[in-house]
Amino acid sequence: MTGSLTDYQITTLLTSEVIGHLGCGGNDQLYVVPIVYAYDAPYLYSHTHEGMKIALMRKHPNVCVQIEQIDNLANWRSVIVWGKFEELRGTEAEAGLQHLKN
């Protein structure tokens, strides 16, 4: 597919998929890794354990997530969401996890 997606198509893509690719990094180091996510506008929620991506995002919170929906080689859609990493704790973290369970 060539062209641009409408806001409705973007929202539909973000809500219908559950796997994206997180891009993060800093200091000449880039890191791209698949993640499971939930979308509740305007936020993407994800969960992970301590590791390279958490260390990078704590130090450099600017991130992007790329999500695609592929029907076949001629019909596909892709969205890149730009934002800032925000680490949730306590009751906010518990509420965020609920998005991933639904």
Side-chain angles (χ1 to χ4, degrees):
M1 177 178 161
T2 58
S4 298
L5 299 177
T6 66
D7 288 344
Y8 176 78
Q9 290 171 313
I10 291 169
T11 298
T12 300
L13 182 90
L14 292 173
T15 56
S16 66
E17 298 300 315
V18 295
I19 297 175
H21 299 89
L22 170 72
C24 59
N27 298 335
D28 296 325
Q29 181 179 18
L30 298 175
Y31 190 59
V32 177
V33 61
I35 60 167
V36 173
Y37 76 91
Y39 177 66
D40 186 19
Y43 302 107
L44 288 179
Y45 294 89
S46 189
H47 179 267
T48 191
H49 297 283
E50 292 289 330
M52 181 183 288
K53 66 182 165 284
I54 291 292
L56 285 170
M57 291 187 299
R58 283 176 179 155
K59 191 171 181 182
H60 306 280
N62 291 325
V63 298
C64 67
V65 177
Q66 182 268 334
I67 295 126
E68 74 269 347
Q69 188 175 63
I70 302 171
D71 299 328
N72 57 52
L73 293 177
N75 296 293
W76 56 273
R77 291 148 300 287
S78 178
V79 172
I80 297 178
V81 178
W82 301 90
K84 281 199 178 281
F85 165 69
E86 181 180 346
E87 192 166 359
L88 303 179
R89 298 185 185 279
T91 57
E92 285 184 326
E94 291 173 23
L97 284 173
Q98 290 304 309
H99 291 282
L100 296 167
K101 293 180 181 180
N102 295 333

